[in-house]
Amino acid sequence: MRQLSRTEIEPYTARIWCEAYPEQPQTEAEIAAYNGTILAGAYEEHWLSGNESSAITLFGPNANFPPERLTGSLCVSPGDELGSDGLVEHSERRARALGCPVLNLWVRSDKEDQVARLEHRGYRCIQTAPTSFLDLQAFSDEPFRPLVANAPYRIASIEELESEGTEWVRRLFTATSEISRDVPDPHGYEEMSFEQYAEMIKNPVIYDYGLMFVAMDGEIIVGYTRASPTQGDPGRVNTGLSGTIRSHRRRGVVTALKVRAISELKNRGCHTLQTENDASNPMYELNLRLGFKWAFDWRLYERAL
């Protein structure tokens, strides 16, 4: 197996990985651009099996100190039992070497053989995150027009705020920090500093200011949604964090934001919008009402080492 580290960027071209996740970085340039979005000090490794038919990614919050846990994404060719066990065993060895008492692995629900093998090794599912897709060109905003037209708050893109000279970074950091704390996560929200956040959102690969939308109540950002074109297909777009601060929930704010974002993506000619949510997150039900169709679940498995 060979390692791809943050300091030694190489083309990440495992066949099965590229076929399964066409939206993920696949070329040297794409990997370099993606790695630019990782916070300084973050830990990330990529491993491929010898025949490049299986792949795993391990990542943690901090490279300077052993993280409490590592999280991995597992991608194995159908029927490649050796690759599945070998990658998991390798990940467990790496986690132990880094002093991690717990290993978490994401696997798709439609990879039934991989799910069964993880459970057989003693892993238990601690989170389910449905993946769903929206056909952007078939989307109609007609049912939502009254809500958008009567929205009590200004909806603007970050691009618009930037052109107006509005100091938006600190306000967005405050809003997204509060929103993120309430996103279901079995491990809780990991706080970042304002300086880390301000540096992170400079990367245009992930943060397209024309696809970042906020709801403004006076000078305060009360709602937010973001979309990012994928590396492999510009017409295929991922949603990022979406939500409303606690004092402004249940008022249709985030629905209006999402409709504005979807309309912009449709005007740009994008064809597919992809999203992942925790199964217990109310945002998942909202996405279904907007027309998203469920495809499969990501499941997070955990095992004490």
Side-chain angles (χ1 to χ4, degrees):
M1 305 180 79
R2 62 187 177 91
Q3 178 187 16
L4 305 180
S5 69
R6 292 185 62 236
T7 56
E8 186 180 356
I9 308 285
E10 300 179 40
Y12 190 27
T13 55
R15 176 184 59 80
I16 189 66
W17 182 272
C18 293
E19 291 175 355
Y21 311 118
E23 75 280 4
Q24 294 295 322
Q26 299 185 12
T27 68
E28 187 171 2
E30 289 172 352
I31 294 168
Y34 169 76
N35 278 354
T37 70
I38 300 173
L39 291 177
Y43 177 87
E44 181 159 315
E45 293 181 1
H46 303 274
W47 297 87
L48 311 181
S49 66
N51 61 6
E52 294 201 350
S53 65
S54 304
I56 195 164
T57 301
L58 291 178
F59 52 92
N62 196 304
N64 302 315
F65 303 97
E68 293 184 2
R69 67 181 63 83
L70 282 177
T71 302
S73 295
L74 182 64
C75 184
V76 180
S77 296
D80 187 0
E81 296 180 358
L82 179 62
S84 178
D85 282 343
L87 287 168
V88 174
E89 288 174 0
H90 172 76
S91 301
E92 291 173 355
R93 288 195 299 271
R94 291 294 296 140
R96 290 191 187 99
L98 290 163
C100 306
V102 174
L103 178 63
N104 295 119
L105 292 175
W106 285 103
V107 64
R108 286 168 51 154
S109 62
D110 55 356
K111 309 296 184 183
E112 296 178 359
D113 57 332
Q114 295 172 36
V115 169
R117 296 180 76 81
L118 283 179
E119 292 176 344
H120 180 73
R121 295 179 67 90
Y123 286 82
R124 63 184 182 91
C125 182
I126 62 170
Q127 186 177 19
T128 300
T131 293
S132 53
F133 297 89
L134 177 67
D135 182 342
L136 288 167
Q137 294 305 312
F139 174 79
S140 172
D141 66 351
E142 185 174 355
F144 307 100
R145 286 174 189 168
L147 175 66
V148 174
N150 297 318
Y153 311 113
R154 179 194 178 193
I155 295 177
S157 69
I158 292 299
E159 188 175 62
E160 292 169 344
L161 297 185
E162 182 85 358
S163 67
E164 296 167 3
T166 301
E167 196 294 301
W168 56 269
V169 180
R170 175 74 69 174
R171 298 174 195 178
L172 186 59
F173 170 72
T174 300
T176 55
S177 295
E178 180 175 326
I179 293 167
S180 297
R181 291 187 193 105
D182 293 336
V183 174
D185 188 323
H187 299 132
Y189 172 61
E190 293 182 354
E191 300 278 352
M192 71 172 68
S193 69
F194 171 71
E195 290 72 24
Q196 289 175 315
Y197 182 83
E199 184 64 27
M200 182 179 68
I201 61 172
K202 290 179 181 178
N203 192 302
V205 172
I206 300 297
Y207 296 93
D208 181 336
Y209 293 172
L211 294 177
M212 297 165 63
F213 296 93
V214 296
M216 304 285 294
D217 184 357
E219 298 298 312
I220 302 172
I221 292 178
V222 299
Y224 174 63
T225 192
R226 171 177 67 82
S228 297
T230 61
Q231 297 284 304
D233 179 358
R236 187 185 184 99
V237 187
N238 288 325
T239 56
L241 177 67
S242 298
T244 311
I245 64 173
R246 295 169 190 143
S247 60
H248 288 66
R249 289 175 185 165
R250 303 293 185 266
R251 304 184 191 182
V253 175
V254 78
T255 303
L257 282 167
K258 280 182 167 283
V259 171
R260 168 72 187 273
I262 291 167
S263 299
E264 176 62 28
L265 291 168
K266 185 174 181 178
N267 291 337
R268 290 192 182 196
C270 298
H271 55 75
T272 303
L273 182 59
Q274 174 179 338
T275 187
E276 289 87 23
N277 304 101
D278 183 278
S280 65
N281 192 334
M283 200 62 60
Y284 176 51
E285 295 299 325
L286 170 58
N287 287 331
L288 294 179
R289 291 198 299 272
L290 288 168
F292 283 81
K293 304 299 182 184
W294 175 87
F296 58 86
D297 293 331
W298 278 105
R299 294 179 185 172
L300 182 62
Y301 282 84
E302 181 174 271
R303 178 188 173 188
L305 301 176

